[in-house]
Amino acid sequence: MEDEAKTTNKSIIKIVGAALGVLFLLLVIALIINLVRLGAENDRKQALIEQNARLEQLIQKNDDLAEYCSSTEFIEEYAREMLDMVYRGETVIGGEEE
């Protein structure tokens, strides 16, 4: 009977060992999967940071252009070049021929 108990204990130990081995393997696989996902998310985050920087530059460039287009300097230049306007009493010398 004692031999039977020893055999049963050995079988239980083998089963528990195999179960722990499978559990360890699953944990390692889950860790690898999560590390790959984390790497991909970090790459995506970096791409979004770079895209954000480009968009911020574009916004700043457009803000500068909008500010310039609302300046008196631009309005006067546009009126002279595109609308052929002059100040009262101003004489145009050497105007371009069309």
Side-chain angles (χ1 to χ4, degrees), residues 25-39:
L25 181 63
L26 291 174
L27 288 174
V28 169
I29 290 171
L31 177 64
I32 291 170
I33 290 170
N34 284 327
L35 287 175
V36 169
R37 284 182 182 168
L38 182 62

Side-chain angles (χ1 to χ4, degrees), residues 1-15:
M1 189 125 141
E2 195 174 299
D3 288 337
E4 192 175 307
K6 285 182 182 180
T7 305
T8 305
N9 286 341
K10 285 182 181 180
S11 296
I12 292 173
I13 291 172
K14 285 181 183 180
I15 292 171

Side-chain angles (χ1 to χ4, degrees), residues 17-27:
L20 288 175
V22 169
L23 179 63
F24 180 74
L25 181 63
L26 291 174
L27 288 174

Side-chain angles (χ1 to χ4, degrees), residues 5-95:
K6 285 182 182 180
T7 305
T8 305
N9 286 341
K10 285 182 181 180
S11 296
I12 292 173
I13 291 172
K14 285 181 183 180
I15 292 171
V16 170
L20 288 175
V22 169
L23 179 63
F24 180 74
L25 181 63
L26 291 174
L27 288 174
V28 169
I29 290 171
L31 177 64
I32 291 170
I33 290 170
N34 284 327
L35 287 175
V36 169
R37 284 182 182 168
L38 182 62
E41 289 301 318
N42 283 336
D43 291 345
R44 188 172 189 281
K45 179 182 176 182
Q46 187 60 37
L48 290 172
I49 288 171
E50 291 169 5
Q51 182 182 16
N52 187 45
R54 286 191 304 273
L55 292 174
E56 289 290 337
Q57 288 176 344
L58 183 61
I59 289 169
Q60 183 61 47
K61 185 178 176 181
N62 286 334
D63 285 347
D64 293 345
L65 179 61
E67 186 178 326
Y68 171 69
C69 288
S70 63
S71 71
T72 56
E73 176 186 350
F74 172 79
I75 294 169
E76 183 177 334
E77 181 181 325
Y78 185 85
R80 288 179 182 276
E81 291 181 14
M82 304 305 282
L83 304 174
D84 294 324
M85 296 178 78
V86 294
Y87 285 110
R88 243 181 250 153
E90 186 177 44
T91 304
V92 178
I93 300 176

